[in-house]
Amino acid sequence: MRKYLHYLTPIIFTIALISCKASREEADKAYKQSEYAVAAEMYKRLYSNKEYNREDKQEVAFLTAESYRRADEYRQAEIQYKKAIRIGYPDPIAHYYHGRMLKQLEKYEDAIVSFQNYKKAAPSDTLADFEIRACELALKWIEEGSRYEVENFRFANSSDNDFAPMYYKSDRTIYFSSDRPESQGNKTYGWTGMGYSDIYSMDKARSRRFDRWANPAALTGDVNTNFNEGTPAFNERGSVMYYTQCNGANGKDSTCRIYEARKRGKDWNVEGPLPFCADSNLLDRYGQPFLSADESKLFFASNREGGLGGHDIWVSFYVKRGRTWSDPVNLGPTINTPGDEFFPYHREDTVLYFSSDYHLGMGGLDIFRSYGTGTDWTEPENLRSPLNSGGDDFGITINESGNEGFFTSNRPRSRGDDIYSFILNPLIFTLSGQVKDLKTEEVIPNAIVTLISSTSDEPQYDTTDESGSYEFTLDAESDYQVMAKKQQYFNSKEEFQTTVGLRVSTDLYQDLYLDPYITVITISGIFYDLDKAFIRPDAASVLDSVVDLLSRNPYLVVEMGSHTDCRNTMAYNEDLSRRRADSAVDYLVRNGIDRQRLFAKGYGETQLANECACEDGAGAGLGCTEAEHQANRRTTFRILATDYNPETKNSETVNKMVESGELEDPNLGSEEDIINAEKKRLEEEKKRLLEEQENPEGPAPEGASPGEPSPEKENKPGGSSRYPE
């Protein structure tokens, strides 16, 4: 894959040399000159040399594996590393590269084992931890899938290497590189054992039934030579092409440069190398250019001085005054790494696609995406499976709409480098479920389900069908709150779902449960000081839960009832319980609940929760413990109606109960009546508070003898059982 960006030599080994009996010196020479395909065959034959001892065989087996790896022959490399390990090659690096080859063959579980073996042999090296993490992520990404659908683009591919597709002017023409036999170079390229690459183009022809791609055709003009050309990029008009050329037109150069060509008629004619690489060091390699949409920036890959690793992504800016390109600027450490970064592809002015073998990936080169400008970029995002694979994935190009395109991969089952097409499917999210009875698990039809989104001001509603089912369509990157309601039931618990971070279409599921109304509900934890009716802080927190319940169920009308224990007279306890119920109602009103939905009722000691009665100085209650008396000092609320209309502030059920006399002292009435009742209550409360300030010990309870002291606190032990609760 990367042959056209590595140090290239004009030396060509012939098939005859490979087939003859090679010496170790010849094999080593081919390896040093980057003729890896040639070296691999030589080393492989040398392994059977009967004169070699065990150490010689170990080294030859390892060098055979190294040659295959560098020639991108991962299957053969994996076999040879395994052989070297089996016969005892001493350097643990063999385990590491064996793991890398297994990873590129997408044998991730086996690769993890090899990396763990390397970690045992070289515990101070953290490379194994990085690779194990990468394999674990690859397995996860394959299982999760993605929005991409990928297919081998058979119209362009041959039995040789086809790579680096690029749209030309529209999505109906692509250019790409290939080393197929039709290319001009007629010699074998020693790095890969294949031919040299030329640039080809192909068009999508229209027909009545379907679109069909025409056969690829090599470019006419003088762009293609007997050596390596590839990775074209174009200006918007399609009149200028930038591309990579290696070895020069005569094959005497030993580097790669970016060239400019212009289209005249049907031919592409070479203008020459760009100025920043025209006189470059022989060890500097430039290639894979991409021109920004505004034609002001040229991105490319290079190993030039000043980089951060092997090959980095750089950018050069067009200088209009001088009609030239500026000195390149490195994109910085967020994009570039100690490894190799290749194939920049710039889109929509702020999106950069590129390939890297160092960022956390699935195999060799993976395709990444980052957002930004200049040297300020977001952390690169791996595009995951199936766009990425265990092999090398690179050279992406995307159509104008952004939902389809092409890229290159030598993933397992490919015949070398192949071009793949992809489609980006739209994200579709749904939320569905059933509404059920909390007690019986039976489905509830005709319940109203409300969906609230973090990205929309308007709630969505659905009504459950006969099976109790509901369904919504959701937006991407949104948080949701969903709940159900129906008369005769308390509203369901609010449930939460999210599409934030979801990369594939997903059907979310959430059942909702409605609790049937209970006629009378006891509220635990609402206590009062002795002979006092004000709401204590601990009671306020309990009443807050009632506020929440009534707010979520706005069609309820309730009665707030207060109860006492048996101590003191019935009349006194009835009055005390009524004042306490009034205080509870007032608290709810102050916290946003309509007074028309609330009735206060003082039950005194008439509805004891146990057998602790003690009227007129007699009864079982005289022997009850304080805990038993406390069980009777409680607050309850009773559901009176479920048809309150918040807009009209009216309940037909309550109206009928008032007319029949079933409800006493109703709060429902005119606005003026409500205001007057509130004023009267406040005046009485103010008067009572003043009296309490003048007499801190409080008045003697009703029924007590003159001068009889009042108890100091309701729960203080040792007092008379006849004192008020």
Side-chain angles (χ1 to χ4, degrees):
M1 182 283 304
R2 285 163 276 179
K3 62 184 183 180
Y4 40 83
L5 252 183
H6 282 275
Y7 182 80
L8 307 178
T9 68
I11 300 174
I12 306 299
F13 283 82
T14 65
I15 299 300
L17 180 58
I18 297 176
S19 62
C20 71
K21 186 176 181 181
S23 68
R24 175 65 184 272
E25 291 76 14
E26 291 172 324
D28 289 344
K29 181 179 180 181
Y31 185 88
K32 290 177 182 178
Q33 292 181 332
S34 301
E35 300 288 339
Y36 296 118
V38 174
E41 294 301 317
M42 289 182 172
Y43 285 129
K44 191 173 182 180
R45 286 171 171 77
L46 287 170
Y47 182 81
S48 60
N49 191 323
K50 296 181 179 180
E51 297 179 1
Y52 278 9
N53 59 28
R54 184 177 180 83
E55 291 182 356
D56 292 333
K57 287 182 175 294
Q58 290 171 351
E59 187 174 2
V60 167
F62 179 75
L63 288 172
T64 305
E66 285 284 272
S67 299
Y68 278 126
R69 176 176 69 86
R70 294 174 183 271
D72 296 337
E73 291 287 346
Y74 306 128
R75 292 179 180 83
Q76 288 297 324
E78 187 271 326
I79 293 171
Q80 296 302 321
Y81 282 122
K82 187 175 181 179
K83 178 190 290 187
I85 293 169
R86 188 180 67 249
I87 64 176
Y89 184 72
D91 193 334
I93 197 66
H95 288 288
Y96 174 78
Y97 282 123
H98 184 235
R100 286 291 300 269
M101 297 302 98
L102 288 168
K103 179 184 173 186
Q104 294 201 229
L105 293 171
E106 297 181 356
K107 299 178 180 180
Y108 295 111
E109 292 91 345
D110 295 337
I112 290 173
V113 174
S114 288
F115 291 131
Q116 289 172 337
N117 290 334
Y118 175 71
K119 187 176 179 179
K120 291 176 184 177
S124 62
D125 194 338
T126 60
L127 280 176
D129 295 324
F130 182 86
E131 293 292 353
I132 290 171
R133 173 61 176 156
C135 289
E136 292 171 343
L137 281 176
L139 290 168
K140 176 185 175 183
W141 291 341
I142 291 172
E143 181 180 359
E144 291 177 345
S146 78
R147 298 168 59 190
Y148 293 104
E149 286 187 16
V150 170
E151 185 178 357
N152 189 287
F153 188 54
R154 59 184 178 83
F155 300 107
N157 293 322
S158 66
S159 59
D160 298 278
N161 292 303
D162 306 285
F163 53 92
M166 185 64 63
Y167 281 114
Y168 175 69
K169 295 177 68 173
S170 73
D171 61 0
R172 304 195 67 82
T173 301
I174 62 169
Y175 281 51
F176 66 96
S177 310
S178 179
D179 59 13
R180 60 189 62 197
E182 299 94 301
S183 299
Q184 290 189 34
N186 57 5
K187 295 182 179 180
T188 300
Y189 179 43
W191 184 297
T192 64
M194 307 297 289
Y196 283 84
S197 61
D198 280 353
I199 301 176
Y200 291 77
S201 69
M202 60 189 305
D203 298 317
K204 184 188 291 186
R206 297 183 185 276
S207 69
R208 293 181 180 180
R209 298 178 60 185
F210 54 85
D211 289 340
R212 185 182 184 281
W213 288 90
N215 292 328
L219 300 192
T220 58
D222 58 0
V223 166
N224 290 326
T225 69
N226 289 334
F227 299 94
N228 282 310
E229 290 82 35
T231 67
F234 307 94
N235 66 348
E236 185 176 7
R237 292 176 56 196
S239 59
V240 178
M241 177 174 68
Y242 299 93
Y243 67 101
T244 307
Q245 206 286 332
C246 296
N247 295 128
N250 56 11
K252 294 182 179 180
D253 290 347
S254 55
T255 188
C256 299
R257 296 188 178 94
I258 298 172
Y259 276 68
E260 178 182 330
R262 294 185 177 270
K263 193 171 188 181
R264 296 180 176 88
K266 294 183 178 181
D267 295 340
W268 286 98
N269 298 314
V270 178
E271 296 289 315
L274 297 186
F276 56 77
C277 61
D279 299 320
S280 61
N281 187 301
L282 292 179
L283 296 179
D284 291 345
R285 296 178 292 278
Y286 297 80
Q288 302 156 8
F290 185 82
L291 187 66
S292 64
D294 62 4
E295 303 179 19
S296 67
K297 297 178 285 292
L298 188 73
F299 296 86
F300 60 92
S302 176
N303 68 338
R304 62 178 280 142
E305 185 178 356
L308 302 179
H311 289 83
D312 284 357
I313 306 297
W314 300 75
V315 61
S316 176
F317 299 92
Y318 188 71
V319 182
K320 291 184 178 180
R321 179 173 296 181
R323 295 185 178 181
T324 189
W325 291 96
S326 71
D327 288 337
V329 176
N330 190 288
L331 260 59
T334 302
I335 300 296
N336 295 316
T337 69
D340 285 323
E341 279 69 48
F342 289 128
F343 292 93
Y345 182 82
H346 192 247
R347 181 177 171 83
E348 296 176 347
D349 198 42
T350 58
V351 187
L352 178 71
Y353 294 82
F354 67 98
S355 292
S356 173
D357 65 2
Y358 193 88
H359 289 290
L360 202 61
M362 297 182 65
L365 288 172
D366 274 19
I367 302 174
F368 293 83
R369 177 174 56 202
S370 181
Y371 299 86
T373 56
T375 59
D376 185 16
W377 299 91
T378 62
E379 187 67 23
E381 171 193 5
N382 190 300
L383 295 188
R384 305 188 178 191
S385 174
L387 205 63
N388 287 321
S389 69
D392 290 319
D393 302 288
F394 59 95
I396 195 169
T397 184
I398 304 173
N399 71 350
E400 186 175 353
S401 65
N403 58 9
E404 62 181 72
F406 300 94
F407 69 101
T408 313
S409 180
N410 66 353
R411 60 191 55 195
R413 297 171 297 280
S414 294
R415 297 171 299 180
D417 291 339
D418 274 354
I419 296 173
Y420 286 79
S421 63
F422 70 84
I423 296 175
L424 182 63
N425 292 317
L427 281 172
I428 300 175
F429 300 114
T430 63
L431 173 63
S432 62
Q434 289 181 302
V435 178
K436 300 179 180 179
D437 187 298
L438 181 63
K439 299 291 193 300
T440 66
E441 291 278 338
E442 294 181 355
V443 298
I444 301 176
N446 299 315
I448 304 298
V449 181
T450 303
L451 183 74
I452 299 175
S453 169
S454 62
T455 56
S456 175
D457 296 331
E458 294 295 327
Q460 298 182 56
Y461 301 96
D462 193 19
T463 302
T464 57
D465 59 20
E466 289 302 313
S467 66
S469 299
Y470 72 92
E471 183 173 2
F472 294 100
T473 299
L474 308 181
D475 295 326
E477 299 298 317
S478 298
D479 294 317
Y480 288 92
Q481 172 186 310
V482 60
M483 55 85 68
K485 64 181 180 180
K486 187 179 182 181
Q487 290 193 3
Q488 307 302 320
Y489 292 89
F490 290 110
N491 287 359
S492 73
K493 176 185 175 183
E494 293 166 344
E495 302 289 353
F496 298 90
Q497 294 284 352
T498 185
T499 59
V500 175
L502 295 182
R503 299 174 178 274
V504 296
S505 297
T506 305
D507 296 321
L508 301 172
Y509 195 83
Q510 181 67 64
D511 283 343
L512 302 169
Y513 293 88
L514 297 179
D515 195 4
Y517 287 147
I518 302 172
T519 304
V520 179
I521 300 174
T522 298
I523 308 170
S524 301
I526 300 181
F527 303 119
Y528 301 87
D529 287 341
L530 180 65
D531 199 29
K532 300 295 190 294
F534 66 85
I535 302 299
R536 293 179 359 191
D538 56 345
S541 63
V542 179
L543 285 171
D544 286 341
S545 66
V546 180
V547 172
D548 179 64
L549 176 66
L550 294 177
S551 297
R552 290 188 294 108
N553 296 272
Y555 35 78
L556 294 183
V557 179
V558 300
E559 173 194 270
M560 298 299 296
S562 184
H563 304 262
T564 70
D565 61 33
C566 68
R567 295 175 289 187
N568 217 311
T569 67
M570 293 190 69
Y572 182 87
N573 286 338
E574 182 178 346
D575 178 71
L576 177 61
S577 63
R578 175 54 191 257
R579 286 192 287 118
R580 289 177 173 176
D582 285 340
S583 294
V585 167
D586 292 341
Y587 184 89
L588 300 178
V589 172
R590 290 196 300 273
N591 283 274
I593 305 301
D594 289 345
R595 183 174 290 278
Q596 292 92 325
R597 300 174 60 195
L598 305 170
F599 287 80
K601 177 71 173 178
Y603 286 94
E605 57 183 280
T606 62
Q607 295 184 5
L608 297 175
N610 51 35
E611 301 300 324
C612 294
C614 54
E615 193 61 31
D616 296 330
L622 296 178
C624 288
T625 65
E626 183 60 31
E628 289 173 317
H629 284 304
Q630 180 66 75
N632 288 315
R633 299 194 300 270
R634 66 198 190 279
T635 296
T636 62
F637 75 82
R638 180 166 65 101
I639 297 174
L640 302 176
T642 62
D643 60 351
Y644 181 75
N645 188 327
E647 295 182 0
T648 63
K649 299 186 181 298
N650 186 53
S651 165
E652 293 297 329
T653 301
V654 170
N655 291 340
K656 292 178 182 178
M657 294 174 72
V658 171
E659 291 174 2
S660 66
E662 185 178 348
L663 284 181
E664 298 178 2
D665 190 20
N667 287 311
L668 289 174
S670 67
E671 192 71 23
E672 183 179 356
D673 292 338
I674 296 170
I675 294 173
N676 290 336
E678 179 68 8
K679 286 181 179 179
K680 182 178 180 181
R681 187 196 64 79
L682 291 173
E683 289 173 358
E684 291 176 350
E685 183 70 12
K686 181 178 180 181
K687 180 179 179 181
R688 189 174 64 81
L689 291 173
L690 289 173
E691 290 174 351
E692 290 177 355
Q693 291 175 1
E694 293 173 358
N695 183 12
E697 294 185 359
E702 185 176 346
S705 302
E708 183 179 1
S710 296
E712 295 179 0
K713 203 167 187 180
E714 182 171 0
N715 292 330
K716 183 175 180 180
S720 167
S721 63
R722 286 297 297 158
Y723 288 138
E725 67 91 27

